[in-house]
Amino acid sequence: MPTFNHEEANHYDERILRLVPGYELLHQATAAQLATTLSDDACILVVGAGTGKEIIELAALKPDWQFIAQDISQDMLDIAEQQFGQHNISDRVTVHCGDINDIDTQCDAALCLLVMHFVEDNGDKKTLLKAIHSKLKKSSNLYIADLMRPETAFERESQLQLCTQLGLTEVGVERMRHNLEHEFYPLDRIRFAELMNETRFSTPKQYFKVLGFAGYVVGS
């Protein structure tokens, strides 16, 4: 699983907009559901928090929400902590670099957006989901979005075409093409649902879909 260190961390927020069609809409749709379902004093676990961009946007919605920003990249979290300070929300965010199992807080919701397709389905995906489940209060929701297996013969090429329209260079397209074949571990919908059941989550309900990427809400 990549840790996005050094230069990758510094340029992540800029690059991701060209790599994931609908990236901002995914986060807006997720935020809308959190605002609808959570209390004003909720605590939200953000798995793979990265540079903290989504936490900053969520913090602006509700002034009393608390967050746990988890990631395995210290470089990404260093950027996040700087951003939290600049937006005056440092006192609302607990930053955790490392294993989710080491977090001792029970949360009202969790986000795992664009993380799990980096994790192999050799038991590691299940381990990640079990760890998230253990940090959620009963009947809380996990919002999870990932690259999924293509459902048509042309979906991947269409995905790359849209990335080009979003500004991805030819070099970037070739790198993405390689990553799609060799670096990611996407699931189809059936295996995804099986994995949720195996880790005691409810049946996934889809709320986002743009070509290869899909977002689901599942209950704990």
Side-chain angles (χ1 to χ4, degrees), residues 83-158:
Q83 295 294 319
F84 297 153
Q86 291 173 10
H87 287 82
N88 298 314
I89 62 170
S90 296
D91 60 337
R92 298 169 56 192
V93 186
T94 299
V95 176
H96 177 80
C97 185
D99 197 315
I100 295 169
N101 287 304
D102 295 331
I103 297 169
D104 58 8
T105 303
Q106 293 293 294
C107 300
D108 300 289
L111 308 184
C112 185
L113 305 182
L114 308 174
V115 173
M116 199 171 70
H117 57 258
F118 291 112
V119 181
E120 289 191 65
D121 191 19
N122 57 0
D124 290 348
K125 287 184 189 290
K126 185 182 292 188
T127 296
L128 172 62
L129 289 168
K130 283 183 175 179
I132 295 172
H133 190 283
S134 72
K135 304 306 170 186
L136 284 172
K137 296 177 182 177
K138 187 176 180 180
S139 301
S140 297
N141 288 330
L142 164 64
Y143 296 86
I144 183 167
D146 278 292
L147 177 74
M148 305 295 287
R149 285 188 182 172
E151 298 187 4
T152 65
F154 52 84
E155 186 174 69
R156 285 289 186 257
E157 287 303 315
S158 300

Side-chain angles (χ1 to χ4, degrees), residues 162-219:
L162 184 47
C163 288
T164 300
Q165 294 170 218
L166 294 172
L168 192 63
T169 64
E170 290 185 12
V171 172
V173 167
E174 289 309 308
R175 181 180 179 185
M176 185 63 170
R177 193 187 303 278
H178 175 273
N179 289 345
L180 287 168
E181 291 292 328
H182 304 289
E183 302 295 332
F184 301 149
Y185 306 95
L187 304 175
D188 60 29
R189 287 183 291 174
I190 294 175
R191 176 56 185 149
F192 184 83
E194 288 176 348
L195 197 56
M196 292 301 150
N197 180 63
E198 290 170 8
T199 53
R200 298 193 298 149
F201 283 104
S202 65
T203 301
K205 305 296 184 184
Q206 189 176 84
Y207 69 91
F208 174 86
K209 180 74 168 76
V210 175
L211 293 176
F213 294 94
Y216 301 86
V217 56
V218 293

Side-chain angles (χ1 to χ4, degrees), residues 22-36 143 207-208:
Y23 178 82
E24 293 183 323
L25 179 58
L26 166 64
H27 285 80
Q28 290 166 352
T30 305
Q33 293 176 91
L34 293 172
T36 302
Y143 296 86
Y207 69 91
F208 174 86

Side-chain angles (χ1 to χ4, degrees), residues 44-94:
I44 303 168
L45 169 62
V46 180
V47 178
T51 61
K53 185 174 184 291
E54 62 191 308
I55 289 178
I56 292 167
E57 293 174 351
L58 290 171
L61 281 180
K62 298 283 185 176
D64 294 320
W65 275 355
Q66 299 289 315
F67 303 91
I68 299 175
Q70 181 276 339
D71 208 292
I72 60 173
S73 170
Q74 188 61 59
D75 287 346
M76 292 282 265
L77 289 177
D78 286 345
I79 295 171
E81 289 194 271
Q82 292 177 4
Q83 295 294 319
F84 297 153
Q86 291 173 10
H87 287 82
N88 298 314
I89 62 170
S90 296
D91 60 337
R92 298 169 56 192
V93 186
T94 299

Side-chain angles (χ1 to χ4, degrees), residues 1-46:
M1 183 171 175
T3 54
F4 297 103
N5 295 325
H6 309 306
E7 285 303 306
E8 286 187 317
N10 291 330
H11 298 289
Y12 178 85
D13 286 336
E14 176 188 351
R15 292 182 63 251
I16 197 66
L17 295 174
R18 299 193 293 269
L19 295 173
V20 180
Y23 178 82
E24 293 183 323
L25 179 58
L26 166 64
H27 285 80
Q28 290 166 352
T30 305
Q33 293 176 91
L34 293 172
T36 302
T37 59
L38 295 182
S39 64
D40 290 343
D41 60 351
C43 178
I44 303 168
L45 169 62
V46 180

